[in-house]
Amino acid sequence: AQKITQTQPGMFVQEKEAVTLDCTYDTSDPSYGLFWYKQPSSGEMIFLIYQGSYDQQNATEGRYSLNFQKARKSANLVISASQLGDSAMYFCAMKGSAGGFKTIFGAGTRLFVKA
Amino acid sequence: EPEVTQTPSHQVTQMGQEVILRCVPISNHLYFYWYRQILGQKVEFLVSFYNNEISEKSEIFDDQFSVERPDGSNFTLKIRSTKLEDSAMYFCASSDRDLEGVTDTQYFGPGTRLTVL
C-alpha cells in the first residue's frame, strides 16, 4: 500500500528566510512520482513541483526545490526566500506506476509566513 | 495558460437531492479525475476516467456517484441522492499521461464547495 506522511501540521517562517516542509512516503512500486501542491485559503490546488523516482537530480522550480532522498523515502519541499503570499496549506502527493491512476495525498502542512 | 475550470464554485443542496458538478479539463488532456476534500482533511481520490470509461475508483465512489463526459469538453460528477457527509470540496483534475503512466502531473480545477443541508 502507498502512504504519504507529513508530520508538521503547522510551520512558521520569517519572510525572506528559507523553510523546509517534510514529506516521507512508502511504496512498493518500482517507479513513482512525487508532487507538491499548494492550497491557499481560497481553496484551489496549485501544482508546484514534481520529482520522478528515477531522476538523478533534485527537482527545482523557481524558489521551490525538492530534496529527494530515495533511500530514506523522503521528498522534502524547500521554499527559499519566503514571501507573505507563500502562506498556505502544502500537500505532498505520490503516484506509483503500479498504483493505478490515483494520486494519494498527505495530510498537509500549513505554512505561516511572518512579516 | 490553459487551466481546468469548474462550475459552480459553491453548491448548496438539500439532503436527498441530486447534484451535478461540472468540469472543463485542459483541452489536450486525456485523463480526468475527481477528488474530494472534507473540510480540514486530506484530499481523497474518487475516480479516474479515460477513453470514456472509469479506469479506477475508490471505495468512496459508491453507487450514488457517477461520472460522464457528455461532450468533447465537459466532465461531470453526479451524486444521485446527497447525504450530509457528502459536504466537501470537490476537485476535478486532468492530465496528459505519459507512456509509463507515472510522470503525468494532474492539474486541478479551483474546486466546487458542496454543502448538503
Side-chain angles (χ1 to χ4, degrees), chain A residues 32-34 50-57 59 68, chain B residues 102-103:
Chain A
Y32 46 91
L34 296 155
Y50 162 81
Q51 177 85 44
S53 59
Y54 287 114
D55 292 344
Q56 296 296 317
Q57 307 243 2
F68 180 47
Chain B
V102 177
T103 60

Side-chain angles (χ1 to χ4, degrees), chain B residues 65-108:
Chain B
F65 292 89
S66 61
V67 290
E68 193 178 32
R69 189 153 162 83
D71 52 45
S73 59
N74 290 284
F75 179 51
T76 62
L77 173 70
K78 182 194 290 187
I79 308 176
R80 206 156 290 129
S81 177
T82 49
K83 303 187 282 283
L84 295 176
E85 54 264 37
D86 293 328
S87 294
M89 183 76 105
Y90 288 81
F91 291 102
C92 172
S94 70
S95 70
D96 55 348
R97 203 172 201 226
D98 75 341
L99 291 176
E100 293 183 8
V102 177
T103 60
D104 64 313
T105 296
Q106 295 175 18
Y107 293 90
F108 284 71

Side-chain angles (χ1 to χ4, degrees), chain B residues 19-78:
Chain B
V19 294
I20 297 177
L21 310 183
R22 303 180 192 281
C23 168
V24 179
I26 294 173
S27 61
N28 64 335
H29 285 181
L30 300 176
Y31 301 84
F32 314 115
Y33 311 83
W34 282 101
Y35 290 81
R36 80 170 186 192
Q37 184 183 30
I38 294 172
L39 186 64
Q41 298 187 22
K42 65 170 68 175
V43 178
E44 301 172 292
F45 169 79
L46 291 178
V47 66
S48 60
F49 191 86
Y50 169 69
N51 201 25
N52 283 320
E53 61 182 26
I54 290 173
S55 46
E56 187 174 1
K57 60 182 181 179
S58 73
E59 59 275 8
I60 302 169
F61 194 88
D62 61 22
D63 292 342
Q64 293 297 318
F65 292 89
S66 61
V67 290
E68 193 178 32
R69 189 153 162 83
D71 52 45
S73 59
N74 290 284
F75 179 51
T76 62
L77 173 70
K78 182 194 290 187

Side-chain angles (χ1 to χ4, degrees), chain A residues 67-84:
Chain A
N67 184 1
F68 180 47
Q69 297 188 43
K70 192 171 182 178
R72 295 180 58 188
K73 293 190 174 180
S74 73
N76 299 339
L77 177 70
V78 181
I79 305 174
S80 63
S82 298
Q83 302 171 356
L84 295 178

Side-chain angles (χ1 to χ4, degrees), chain A residues 46-111:
Chain A
I46 303 167
F47 165 71
L48 296 178
I49 196 167
Y50 162 81
Q51 177 85 44
S53 59
Y54 287 114
D55 292 344
Q56 296 296 317
Q57 307 243 2
N58 285 344
T60 60
E61 287 286 347
R63 295 186 298 110
Y64 304 108
S65 60
L66 203 152
N67 184 1
F68 180 47
Q69 297 188 43
K70 192 171 182 178
R72 295 180 58 188
K73 293 190 174 180
S74 73
N76 299 339
L77 177 70
V78 181
I79 305 174
S80 63
S82 298
Q83 302 171 356
L84 295 178
D86 294 335
S87 293
M89 194 74 159
Y90 289 80
F91 290 98
C92 180
M94 176 174 67
K95 188 173 176 304
S97 59
F101 290 77
K102 64 184 176 189
T103 297
I104 63 164
F105 286 78
T109 295
R110 185 167 295 282
L111 178 66

